[in-house]
Amino acid sequence: MTMVNEFRIKQEICETGRKVYERGFVAANDGNISYRIGDNQVLCSPTLVSKGFMKPDDICLVDMTGRQLAGRRKRTSEVLLHLEIYKRAPEIRAVVHCHPPHATAFSVAGEEIPTCVLPEFEVFLGPVPTATYETPGAQGFADTVTPHIGRSKIVVLKNHGTVAWADTLERALWWTEILDAYCRILLIAKQVGRVERLPTPKVQELLDLKNRFGITDDPRSLHSADLCVNTEWGRGFAQPDCGCSPPAPSSAPAASGGAPADGDEIEQMVQAITDRIMAALR
């Protein structure tokens, strides 16, 4: 592994921390960031420090077992997750773990991230798996990502957050931003109405494009997996009359001569409106 400027990497970790903090991907001292600087050395963020306000001398140095080698602060307890990724994929140099709210919401709701919606998401990420839940910090938590290394660039951690990896911190942050922006669009689209899927031939065109770009980690190409994931999510349904349109003429007899309606007529009108509202709610 080539030599790196350790101080510059510490600065980059702090800058990445500031970005995830400003984007709302972490709160308080959430999340952790690391960069592998040697075969047996990893720089990582400390515990109990806001990622938005880290300084270079806050950054810790650990070995590949998690033993702290240097740093005035204690290293993050979740560094084992990062180390597991580095052990499984030696070409990976950077890992970013945070809690982007829109992507995390899908795992909290027990929903897989749908695919076959936006072309940019298909090309840059493709299917994003959700790891099984384990208590953060221990080796069991780190082991939850191992089935997905080599098959994805980012994983949603069940009821927790996300972890992304790449050859640079910038790209690991990219994957996180792309995923959360995509999930935000999905949630807004579902509020508007329904989620329209791309036609299967067009999805295949995007996979062919990925292959030409040299992006070879999409499991749909490697393992002949289904092109589209969670196709039931966001299908929508026939909207009932919400009662927003002008009410239909009442069947109740109108007051003659433009005179004010009497008590019986008012009661009939109220009942008719109530019936429309209840029908819409059902």
Side-chain angles (χ1 to χ4, degrees), residues 171-236:
R171 285 182 182 265
L173 180 57
W174 278 6
W175 310 150
T176 308
E177 290 180 323
I178 291 169
L179 175 60
D180 201 63
Y182 173 68
C183 290
R184 182 168 180 260
I185 290 170
L186 289 175
L187 293 171
I188 293 172
K190 190 174 182 181
Q191 289 178 319
V192 171
R194 64 195 303 271
V195 176
E196 296 281 352
R197 287 335 194 264
L198 299 173
T200 298
K202 294 301 180 183
V203 177
Q204 188 59 57
E205 286 180 13
L206 293 171
L207 290 180
D208 295 340
L209 186 64
K210 292 180 78 164
N211 288 331
R212 291 200 297 273
F213 287 164
I215 304 174
T216 59
D217 58 359
D218 194 311
R220 295 172 293 183
S221 297
L222 294 172
H223 306 284
S224 300
D226 292 339
L227 284 181
C228 299
V229 175
N230 198 359
T231 56
E232 293 302 313
W233 189 88
R235 281 186 177 275

Side-chain angles (χ1 to χ4, degrees), residues 30-221:
D30 287 350
N32 31 77
I33 303 162
S34 71
Y35 190 94
R36 185 174 184 174
I37 61 171
D39 292 336
N40 193 43
Q41 292 184 324
V42 172
L43 292 171
C44 70
S45 54
T47 190
L48 296 177
V49 176
S50 169
K51 302 306 162 294
F53 302 95
M54 293 187 299
K55 300 178 177 61
D57 62 352
D58 291 328
I59 306 305
C60 308
L61 180 68
V62 300
D63 65 17
M64 291 296 286
T65 69
R67 181 171 63 95
Q68 186 157 341
L69 304 175
R72 67 187 183 92
R73 294 184 180 274
K74 185 179 178 182
R75 56 90 164 162
T76 173
S77 63
E78 293 182 359
V79 75
L80 297 179
L81 174 70
H82 300 235
L83 298 178
E84 196 62 34
I85 295 168
Y86 293 132
K87 291 173 186 176
R88 302 276 177 164
E91 72 279 7
I92 297 302
R93 301 289 291 270
V95 176
V96 174
H97 162 53
C98 53
H99 305 163
H102 303 93
T104 304
F106 274 85
S107 82
V108 170
E111 291 284 352
E112 288 187 275
I113 306 295
T115 59
C116 301
V117 179
L118 291 185
E120 294 81 4
F121 179 81
E122 295 300 317
V123 170
F124 286 109
L125 293 184
V128 174
T130 300
T132 56
Y133 179 81
E134 280 293 341
T135 302
Q139 184 60 41
F141 172 64
D143 291 340
T144 62
V145 302
T146 57
H148 311 296
I149 299 171
R151 298 168 60 96
S152 185
K153 302 179 182 72
I154 185 169
V155 168
V156 179
L157 303 168
K158 175 64 178 165
N159 286 65
H160 188 156
T162 63
V163 59
W165 52 85
D167 55 340
T168 67
L169 283 166
E170 181 182 40
R171 285 182 182 265
L173 180 57
W174 278 6
W175 310 150
T176 308
E177 290 180 323
I178 291 169
L179 175 60
D180 201 63
Y182 173 68
C183 290
R184 182 168 180 260
I185 290 170
L186 289 175
L187 293 171
I188 293 172
K190 190 174 182 181
Q191 289 178 319
V192 171
R194 64 195 303 271
V195 176
E196 296 281 352
R197 287 335 194 264
L198 299 173
T200 298
K202 294 301 180 183
V203 177
Q204 188 59 57
E205 286 180 13
L206 293 171
L207 290 180
D208 295 340
L209 186 64
K210 292 180 78 164
N211 288 331
R212 291 200 297 273
F213 287 164
I215 304 174
T216 59
D217 58 359
D218 194 311
R220 295 172 293 183
S221 297

Side-chain angles (χ1 to χ4, degrees), residues 12-22 26 33 51-54:
E12 193 173 350
I13 290 174
C14 294
E15 177 66 12
T16 303
R18 184 184 64 79
K19 289 177 179 177
V20 297
Y21 181 80
E22 290 179 349
V26 291
I33 303 162
K51 302 306 162 294
F53 302 95
M54 293 187 299

